Amino acid sequence: MKTLTLTRPDDWHLHVRNGAVLKTVIAHTAKQFARAIIMPNLKPPVTTVLQAQAYREDILQAIPAGINFTPLMTLYMTAATTVEEIKLAAESSYIHAFKLYPAGATTNSDAGVADIKTIYPQLAALEKYDLPLLIHGEVVDEHCDIFDREREFVDTHLVAITRDFPALRVVLEHVTTLEAVQFVEFAGANIAATITPQHLLFNRNAILAGGIRPHFYCLPILKREQHRLALVKAATSGSSKFFLGTDSAPHLTTLKENACGCAGCYSAHAALELYAQAFETAGALDKLEGFASFYGADFYRLPRNSETVTLLKSAWKVPENYGTGDVSITPLLAGEELNWQLQ
Ligand code: NCD
Ligand code: ZN
């Protein structure tokens, strides 16, 4: 049987929520990845070092016994974030970044930043303390077409942020367009990007052609095929600027299959398998290890992992849902067959 052994990977962009959903999803990530950057968009958001410490404890409690997994915490940037909090975060051993959500851009982003100019003192502090800024790069202007929101953000805000804070380390999260890829490629070594499995595997037809499929709806939304091809090229190029970030974002099935469905794809159940499928289709399985296991750690200045994981080329069927009782989460490609399987 064909196998693929890699250095154990990390997930550099992950939502695990809290409460019963956290308990349902965390084992999926912990069995695949050694570490994950945990998004702070809870209700209410995680804005202080103390809150992140409590959230970290909850996550550690939820990990099944015997699995070695480290959550890497982030704080949610708001207009009220103080420079003192940024200093505290930089001094703490478990906060690894701040997350910037434009207000209203996506799930639980109401507390986000309405005008980036108002957080310039905070961005200066991040630059000074050398703490990365993770950006959800979409404008929220209602006049801007939803398919153009990332490109517009790159042209206006990202150009300004990287010009005004040239030493700031920035991750443009879950890039979805050719324009975002090009921006990151031509920017300095301190600018990187994560790429999700769904944006490598699917274009917008997956959501809209032949019926509306809410489990493919996430933000930034899937784009045209030409953009998917640009993402595959970037991810498989061997460039250390692009690394794995699933953006696995669980929502209850009832809230996805809804007249106004939530944004987010749940991919933690088969994250590495999904990436392996995308890299294999591109004829670039040899590039998967750098993308999944090396470049993110290098960017965050953390040691690369030393254990390994093995994928088997062995087809399996993705369950229709995960969870028990009130929790039912429909995974990406529910009921479909995947070629690779984590040993
Ligand atoms: C994320 C979520 O549900 O928290 N949703 C999504 O569509 N990606 C938020 C985010 O990362 O935008
Ligand atoms: Zn996300």
Side-chain angles (χ1 to χ4, degrees), residues 173-253:
E173 298 291 339
H174 41 53
V175 286
T176 65
T177 57
L178 171 63
E179 291 82 2
V181 164
Q182 286 175 338
F183 179 89
V184 171
E185 275 170 350
F186 290 112
N190 53 322
I191 315 296
T194 53
I195 308 182
T196 78
Q198 65 268 24
H199 291 101
L200 292 174
L201 288 166
F202 310 111
N203 64 35
R204 63 194 197 177
N205 284 6
I207 322 170
L208 294 169
I212 185 155
R213 293 189 192 76
H215 299 295
F216 291 90
Y217 173 61
C218 67
L219 289 171
I221 197 163
L222 296 175
K223 304 294 192 299
R224 284 179 180 276
E225 180 64 4
Q226 73 190 85
H227 297 289
R228 189 189 72 82
L229 292 172
L231 298 172
V232 170
K233 198 167 163 210
T236 60
S237 67
S239 163
S240 60
K241 287 175 151 270
F242 299 95
F243 44 84
L244 185 157
T246 60
D247 194 22
S248 177
H251 291 277
L252 297 184
T253 301

Side-chain angles (χ1 to χ4, degrees), residues 64-139:
I67 299 187
N68 178 15
F69 173 76
T70 306
L72 308 172
M73 308 310 291
T74 63
L75 296 187
Y76 191 117
M77 176 70 75
T78 77
T81 300
T82 63
V83 167
E84 289 72 53
E85 198 69 44
I86 293 172
K87 183 165 180 283
L88 277 178
E91 286 164 0
S92 98
S93 57
Y94 51 84
I95 310 278
H96 293 270
F98 267 79
K99 177 69 189 266
L100 170 60
Y101 288 102
T106 185
T107 306
N108 300 347
S109 63
D110 304 348
V113 174
D115 176 1
I116 290 173
K117 284 277 186 226
T118 63
I119 57 155
Y120 263 37
Q122 289 90 325
L123 298 187
L126 288 179
E127 185 180 43
K128 174 175 162 196
Y129 295 115
D130 199 16
L131 210 48
L133 177 69
L134 317 182
I135 302 183
H136 182 110
E138 288 193 288
V139 299

